Amino acid sequence: MDASQGPDTPAGPVPADPAAYEFALYEPGPAEKSWPRRLVANQTARITALVLALLGCAITIAVMLGDTIGAQGLLVGALLALVPTPLVVSAIVWLGRVRPLPWKSLVFAFAWGSCAGALVALLANSWSFDKLMDLKGQEDAELLGLTIVAPVVEECVKGLAVVLLFVTVRREFRGVLDGLIPAAISAAGFAFTENVLYFGREFAASEDNGDGLGTTWGVFIARGIMSPFAHPLFTSMIGLGFGLAVLARSRPARILLPLAGYVCAVGLHASWNGSATQGLAFLGVYFLVMMPILGALIWYTVVVRRDQLRAVEDELPGYVAAGWFRPHEPLLLSSMADRSRALRTARTTLGPEGVARLRAYQADATLLAELRRRAGRSRRGPAPEYPGQERELLDRVWAAKPAVARVIDHTMPSPRWRYVKPPPGMPPWGPPGGMPYGAGAPGGWGAPAWGAPGTMPYGTQPGAAPYGPPTGMAPYGAPSGMSAYGAPPGVAPYGPPPGVNPFGAPPPGWVPPARHPAAHPAWGPVPPSGPPPWGPPRHAANGARADLPAQSTAPWGAPPAQVNGGVPAPAEPLGPPAWYARPGDSPKPPADPTPPAGGA
């Protein structure tokens, strides 16, 4: 019996009520949005409105400049301003080549700085100068406008491009360069429009005086050759603050770092404008302040760029062991030359769409390595959002591989080697402290060698058999009780003893990457184009191979059970190996310049 019928209602089905039935089936649909909300929700409409707004700003500022400097001055100023702008923008974009931002973001930053930012700054500066003229007079108004009003207003409108990108495409901000690059490009666009005004105004004044381009060339040398970097340098402080705020874990730091960057940008801009009115003081500020700061900023960005490539080389082998990458992919992704070669191959074999997919794959793999490097270096352990971000990037990389597998599997990484310092307490590869090919080797690493003082040149050692090895030495080999090639007893050839991890313990909170469900137990997934033509790697990509008893269906067969000179290598779930070689190469020891004692 249905409990809703009550105790006096006979048992049985409840008679259908058509009205109640229709009411139960009725579900109110979503409320219809108003046209402003529909416009905001439509991405095409948003982009169209933004383009029209920037185009209107460009037309407005062109008309204003034409009224100020004339049509001829506007044309000459635009042509001269076009000379340094491509060089400055190309240098800024080059700094972010390892993990480039979307080109739409860069175009927006330049358009904002050259159109909207320049228009707002021009109107604000003109209005404030008129007000200061009424209060302080012309001379004081010019000084206050250059040193206070212009820096505050211009840095605000240029930095607003970074703020808009940070709010709208927040997921693209993952590092320091993600804030610095758009800030510098926005400033380069602003400098272009400002140069049009200065060059055109000087040309118009020269035409009135009959000097032609005489004084215009002086302004061009000062602004277009000596200081095309000035505005990008100022505004890059704001971008640097936003980039550091992305990496910060505390809320106060995320708020204070962008504000500190804005204060630094205003201070540099004010000192630059103030020195321009002081004659020789400008050269002092130029050479003693601006050039060192510019050099330090370039050095820092190059270090960050190199650290991005080093993170790819160090962190991705852990994902190789888990089956997410092929063994050669960390090498292929950690060299800009190899990346460019792969892009050229994709351009000829896959077309423009394949190039775009390969670029996205390279950027996602780099971001994955940066994310894991940052989580490992943090003293507080991985951030709470780290697992979700890592899984998202792994899924994106895995989804992109079928389209670019043909290029990845048939592009050989360039051979290169990297020195890794031996662990503390272990002897280096070769006799420690010995003089190669001479006497003085400590620790019993050999008797005085041929050519030592007191011996016959090109002869034998005293007491040794003529033309043979010294007495008591194994013929033509190492001393008795010593391992081959000079290694002390108990040490595996060509490497540290078993059980010693040359890279130390993993950092706290370190979690090995999860294995992909479609990955092979030993060597990772088989690409759609089949196994690479060079065959299986002969050395472990990350210490001992994962799942040594490989299945019989492995594309390359079962890997050998012994590595590292016959001694099983210790399992290292994430740490990078001591060296890398191309797939198919055998491990080779570093060259030892000292021959074994007693060798011919």
Side-chain angles (χ1 to χ4, degrees):
M1 184 181 75
D2 191 356
S4 62
Q5 301 177 21
D8 300 331
T9 306
V14 179
D17 186 357
Y21 183 75
E22 293 177 2
F23 179 78
L25 289 181
Y26 172 74
E27 293 182 1
E32 186 178 356
K33 296 181 179 179
S34 59
W35 70 268
R37 292 187 177 182
R38 291 198 304 269
L39 182 63
V40 172
N42 191 343
Q43 183 179 6
T44 305
R46 293 199 307 267
I47 296 177
T48 304
L50 179 62
V51 171
L52 292 177
L54 293 176
L55 185 60
C57 293
I59 295 174
T60 303
I61 197 169
V63 171
M64 295 179 62
L65 292 180
D67 293 339
T68 304
I69 60 180
Q72 192 175 6
L74 179 63
L75 179 61
V76 173
L79 292 177
L80 292 178
L82 279 174
V83 175
T85 302
L87 301 177
V88 174
V89 173
S90 300
I92 296 171
V93 173
W94 178 84
L95 294 174
R97 266 186 62 201
V98 177
R99 186 170 53 80
L101 288 171
W103 65 269
K104 295 179 182 179
S105 301
L106 302 181
V107 170
F108 166 77
F110 186 86
W112 177 272
S114 59
C115 300
L119 178 61
V120 173
L122 181 61
L123 295 175
N125 289 338
S126 301
W127 179 83
S128 61
F129 180 75
D130 293 339
K131 295 297 181 181
L132 290 174
M133 278 279 293
D134 298 338
L135 297 175
K136 299 290 184 179
Q138 182 176 0
E139 184 176 354
D140 293 339
E142 290 181 354
L143 181 60
L144 292 176
L146 282 175
T147 57
I148 296 179
V149 177
V152 172
V153 173
E154 293 178 4
E155 297 307 321
C156 180
V157 296
K158 288 185 293 182
L160 192 58
V162 187
V163 176
L164 293 176
L165 289 174
F166 188 81
V167 172
T168 55
V169 288
R170 173 66 177 82
R171 60 192 305 272
E172 301 293 342
F173 281 71
R174 300 292 183 89
V176 176
L177 297 183
D178 297 333
L180 191 148
I181 299 299
I185 289 184
S186 173
F190 183 91
F192 167 76
T193 305
E194 191 179 60
N195 285 339
V196 172
L197 173 62
Y198 278 89
F199 296 157
R201 185 170 59 187
E202 193 65 28
F203 175 78
S206 300
E207 286 292 311
D208 295 339
N209 298 331
D211 296 336
L213 290 175
T215 57
T216 307
W217 288 118
V219 177
F220 173 76
I221 292 174
R223 295 185 61 88
I225 296 179
M226 292 184 62
S227 59
F229 60 86
H231 278 288
L233 175 63
F234 306 151
T235 315
S236 62
M237 299 294 110
I238 301 176
L240 188 62
F242 273 94
L244 295 175
V246 171
L247 305 180
R249 298 282 292 272
S250 63
R251 186 177 183 84
R254 294 178 179 178
I255 298 175
L256 294 178
L257 285 173
L259 295 178
Y262 174 72
V263 172
C264 291
V266 172
L268 289 175
H269 199 160
S271 62
W272 177 267
N273 287 354
S275 64
T277 62
Q278 302 299 323
L280 294 179
F282 170 77
L283 297 178
V285 172
Y286 180 83
F287 287 106
L288 300 180
V289 178
M290 297 300 168
M291 293 301 291
I293 294 178
L294 177 65
L297 184 64
I298 294 176
W299 172 82
Y300 177 72
T301 53
V302 171
V303 168
V304 172
R305 187 175 185 268
R306 184 178 58 185
D307 188 69
Q308 289 177 322
L309 295 174
R310 185 62 58 85
V312 171
E313 187 177 359
D314 291 345
E315 304 299 333
L316 290 191
Y319 296 98
V320 171
W324 292 93
F325 291 90
R326 311 293 285 179
H328 71 289
E329 288 184 71
L331 276 180
L332 190 63
L333 291 168
S334 61
S335 168
M336 294 306 299
D338 291 342
R339 288 190 180 197
S340 301
R341 191 155 44 87
L343 289 172
R344 290 195 298 268
T345 304
R347 190 174 294 110
T348 57
T349 58
L350 303 179
E353 184 178 357
V355 173
R357 290 179 178 271
L358 183 59
R359 288 185 187 275
Y361 158 78
Q362 293 175 347
D364 290 338
T366 306
L367 184 57
L368 176 65
E370 290 183 78
L371 186 68
R372 195 156 183 85
R373 168 67 66 89
R374 198 176 306 129
R377 288 180 173 180
S378 176
R379 297 181 179 179
R380 300 169 59 180
E385 62 273 10
Y386 167 73
Q389 294 176 351
E390 182 188 37
R391 186 68 192 190
E392 178 190 0
L393 290 171
L394 285 173
D395 291 340
R396 282 160 54 179
V397 168
W398 190 264
K401 281 194 174 185
V404 298
R406 182 180 177 185
V407 175
I408 296 174
D409 295 334
H410 294 82
T411 304
M412 178 70 71
S414 302
R416 55 189 181 276
W417 304 90
R418 190 177 110 194
Y419 172 75
V420 177
K421 187 178 180 180
M426 292 300 300
W429 293 277
M435 297 174 61
Y437 302 99
W445 283 90
W450 294 267
T455 62
M456 298 176 60
Y458 309 106
T460 59
Q461 294 177 325
Y467 309 105
T471 307
M473 302 294 290
Y476 310 107
S480 56
M482 300 293 289
S483 301
Y485 306 105
V491 177
Y494 317 125
V500 175
N501 184 0
F503 295 92
W510 197 264
V511 180
R515 189 174 186 82
H516 194 275
H520 184 269
W523 291 111
V526 182
S529 59
W534 51 78
R538 301 175 188 169
H539 68 281
N542 190 43
R545 291 178 172 88
D547 302 330
L548 288 176
Q551 299 178 358
S552 59
T553 58
W556 296 317
Q562 302 291 333
V563 294
N564 211 15
V567 180
E572 297 176 343
L574 193 62
W579 58 273
Y580 298 129
R582 292 181 296 179
D585 290 351
S586 300
K588 296 179 181 179
D592 184 6
T594 306

